[in-house]
Amino acid sequence: MLRQLHSLPGLIAAILLAALALSGAILSADPALERLATTIPAHGQISVAVLADRVTQHYPNVEQIQRTPSGSIIVYYSQGDRTGADRIDPLSGQGIAPYAPSAFSRWMKNLHRSLLAGTSGRAVAGVTALAMLVLCLSGVALLAKRQGGWRHIARPLHGNFSQRWHAQLGRIAIFGLLLSALTGMYMSAATFGLIPDGMKSEPDFPTQVTVGPAAPIATLPALIATDANDLRELVYPRPGSPEDVYSLRTAQGDGYVDQATGTLLSYQAHDGVRSVYELIYRLHTGEGLWWLGLLLGLCALSVPVMSATGVVMWWQRRRSMPKMTNNSGPQSADTIILVGSENNSTWGFAKALHDALVQIGRRVHTAPMNLLATEYRKAQHLFILTSTYGDGSAPQSANQFFARLDKVADTCRLDFVVLGFGDRQFPKFCQFAKNTQDALLARGWHQFLELNTIDRQSAQEFARWGQAVGRLFDRELTLQYTPQHPRTHALELISRVDYGAQVGAPTSILRFAAVAPQGITSQLKRLMGFDDLPRFEAGDLVGIIPSGSPVPRFYSLASGSKDGFLARKFHYCCREG
Ligand SMILES: Cc1cc2nc3c(=O)[nH]c(=O)nc-3n(C[C@H](O)[C@H](O)[C@H](O)COP(=O)(O)O)c2cc1C
């Protein structure tokens, strides 16, 4: 259930998530870049009155002064019939550069907010934020399960390349992604009016103003009392309109300022809802919190990688799940195979056993351990093939097995055997298989073969176990399990040294190198390092796939990648003939 909750939104929204995360990561650099180019005066150093006075000296026809959340001061002005906007230095009031947000940045914002698709795009972006929240929560729960509990969540990670990178990036980026998802959902809900943002409560335009000559801006008390860092926007009155007023927006509230007396009119302080919205806006965009923006951007960069590795993992799990043929019903089968698996590789072994048993005339029913029936009317034998996951725990398809086992009537006990799949690198090797065996024995089930364990999906160990089962049934049981190979490399023999024959211990050292690439593409791949042999050290195992068999044979190595060749020492029990 947890896995479906994680995979389904992940697969559906993978591309959208990657697009939103990448655009978010790019946008996250904006506040930091803006902050780098901005001088922010100390608190209490400059009032809005002083700032406006300095601005007026350089821009006599100023219409509006704005302060961005990152602290840049933008002046909008007119010159004849032309209007313009400049970014200015708050300490001198002098222009620094024309203010024109780049077309790229606008496009990126549009992509991030609405996927370039207007209102419907905004709705999709909101739903994608919800999908991200679901993925974060289900992902952490899966990670805890994978690691064997919350206490072990920081332990080193196991699994293949995609599994490790998916979990590692998730572990690093989880808090940033959670924050982006939650704040993104909030902002989306506010855009669609689903929750209030406090923006609608505007102060009333003053009905009474003092009609008289406008006082110099530097002397207006309401502007003297406002710190420049609290300014959001100051809109000037229309020139030559004594009945007009300054419109002032600050971090704390909005109001109007009488241009003759400088009194604050119809002031309305921001309510809690507005303050919450502004805080969430800053937490999401990093505006005014440039370091947080960069952190969130870095976290967002992990999303495309996690989307890709997530899809690869889903595909690997799907590919490992074989199609069972001749699968009899549970009540008509004489042999039951139950499978406990997390990443589906145990199912490949179960299929080999299933096919071999069908071959010797058995009617076999194969199912996940979680589907243990309360009764199998015709069955005599039960095979349980199970892996172990987390820190000695049940894999996904077996996590309800014990609860179901309690519901099986005493009269329905079968003769059973458990085969455990695990990895000796884990301290609790095949622990769940052992627990399963103990649980069945404790309930009085009869075991027809001792528990066996298979380390790292060894096809050889599995074949040997098959022979033992065959002997019990007085039949030859050939288990043809074809492991899925990782990418293979063709090797060529570059030298051979024989010695030790005189002392009766004939030994050969064979040195191999990767076959020289043929064709332009292969040569280019080799040059770029894509087609090189993986790194190895003396003592590592190399799997060689012999001709005529899909099962690799493992040999330990006598050289490392630094030597530039792969050396294997062969000791012969008898002289080569
Ligand atoms: C995250 C993780 C945790 C594992 N924990 C254990 C363990 O505690 N004990 C063990 O013997 N094997 C452990 N294994 C190894 C698997 O049981 C083994 O690779 C098995 O063949 C996987 O089968 P499956 O793909 O059907 O789940 C673990 C593997 C992974 C990826």
Side-chain angles (χ1 to χ4, degrees), residues 157 160-170 172 305-306 309:
L157 292 158
N160 63 29
F161 178 87
S162 300
Q163 292 169 344
R164 272 183 288 120
W165 273 98
H166 193 83
Q168 186 67 288
L169 287 176
I172 296 169
V305 186
M306 283 201 282
T309 48

Side-chain angles (χ1 to χ4, degrees), residues 545-551 553:
I545 301 175
S547 58
S549 164
V551 181
R553 290 182 197 153

Side-chain angles (χ1 to χ4, degrees), residues 161-487:
F161 178 87
S162 300
Q163 292 169 344
R164 272 183 288 120
W165 273 98
H166 193 83
Q168 186 67 288
L169 287 176
R171 203 158 64 169
I172 296 169
I174 184 67
F175 289 111
L177 296 180
L178 260 178
L179 186 62
S180 294
L182 279 169
T183 50
M185 275 172 59
Y186 177 92
M187 282 165 58
S188 185
T191 305
F192 285 100
L194 302 176
I195 45 173
D197 57 10
M199 293 290 178
K200 291 206 176 76
S201 51
E202 296 267 319
D204 294 330
F205 193 83
T207 44
Q208 276 199 325
V209 292
T210 315
V211 180
I217 197 159
T219 64
L220 301 181
L223 300 187
I224 292 172
T226 309
D227 192 275
N229 287 335
D230 290 336
L231 178 69
R232 292 285 175 271
E233 186 184 83
L234 179 69
V235 182
Y236 282 62
R238 282 186 313 276
S241 305
E243 73 288 351
D244 204 1
V245 286
Y246 288 94
S247 158
L248 177 69
R249 290 181 185 278
T250 69
Q252 295 78 24
D254 306 329
Y256 298 94
V257 178
D258 191 308
Q259 57 172 316
T261 62
T263 324
L264 193 56
L265 308 166
S266 317
Y267 178 74
Q268 191 166 320
H270 292 161
D271 58 10
V273 179
R274 168 84 174 259
S275 308
V276 167
Y277 179 82
E278 288 202 351
L279 174 70
I280 288 178
Y281 180 85
R282 292 173 66 195
L283 289 177
H284 189 79
T285 58
E287 286 194 33
L289 295 167
W290 62 270
W291 53 271
L292 179 69
L294 283 183
L295 273 180
L296 293 184
L298 283 176
C299 292
L301 278 180
S302 68
V303 174
V305 186
M306 283 201 282
S307 301
T309 48
V311 172
V312 170
M313 282 158 60
W314 170 82
W315 175 244
Q316 284 170 343
R317 263 201 310 276
R318 232 183 107 86
R319 208 183 44 171
S320 306
M321 189 70 191
K323 209 174 148 35
M324 291 290 171
T325 43
N326 298 316
N327 200 6
S328 304
Q331 303 310 334
S332 60
D334 54 27
T335 308
I336 308 293
I337 302 177
L338 293 181
V339 185
S341 177
E342 183 75 31
N343 290 314
N344 290 349
S345 61
T346 306
W347 280 97
F349 293 91
K351 168 145 177 77
L353 176 63
H354 179 105
D355 291 347
L357 290 171
V358 169
Q359 196 95 51
I360 60 167
R362 294 255 166 174
R363 283 194 311 285
V364 187
H365 170 71
T366 301
M369 283 174 79
N370 282 343
L371 294 189
L372 170 76
T374 44
E375 180 187 23
Y376 295 102
R377 272 184 229 124
K378 298 205 173 134
Q380 297 142 21
H381 292 106
L382 168 65
F383 290 82
I384 295 185
L385 274 57
T386 183
S387 66
T388 295
Y389 196 61
D391 188 26
S393 322
Q396 192 204 8
S397 76
N399 52 13
Q400 281 145 41
F401 178 75
F402 292 147
R404 290 186 80 106
L405 190 58
D406 289 333
K407 297 194 182 122
V408 179
D410 289 350
T411 48
C412 300
R413 294 178 196 139
L414 306 177
D415 289 356
F416 78 94
V417 58
V418 179
L419 180 63
F421 290 81
D423 187 332
R424 287 198 187 276
Q425 287 179 27
F426 289 87
K428 295 183 180 162
F429 177 60
C430 287
Q431 186 60 48
F432 182 68
K434 291 172 191 161
N435 295 348
T436 304
Q437 182 200 37
D438 293 347
L440 289 167
L441 288 175
R443 285 164 179 79
W445 293 50
H446 171 250
Q447 181 173 248
F448 68 87
L449 184 66
E450 277 288 309
L451 168 85
N452 271 258
T453 54
I454 307 283
D455 186 23
R456 289 189 232 179
Q457 298 162 22
S458 160
Q460 288 94 332
E461 286 177 22
F462 181 58
R464 273 200 292 280
W465 175 81
Q467 286 158 12
V469 175
R471 277 195 295 279
L472 278 180
F473 287 180
D474 278 335
R475 301 292 296 265
E476 175 108 355
L477 204 64
T478 316
L479 298 185
Q480 276 181 343
Y481 170 71
T482 314
Q484 275 171 7
H485 300 302
R487 199 156 67 93

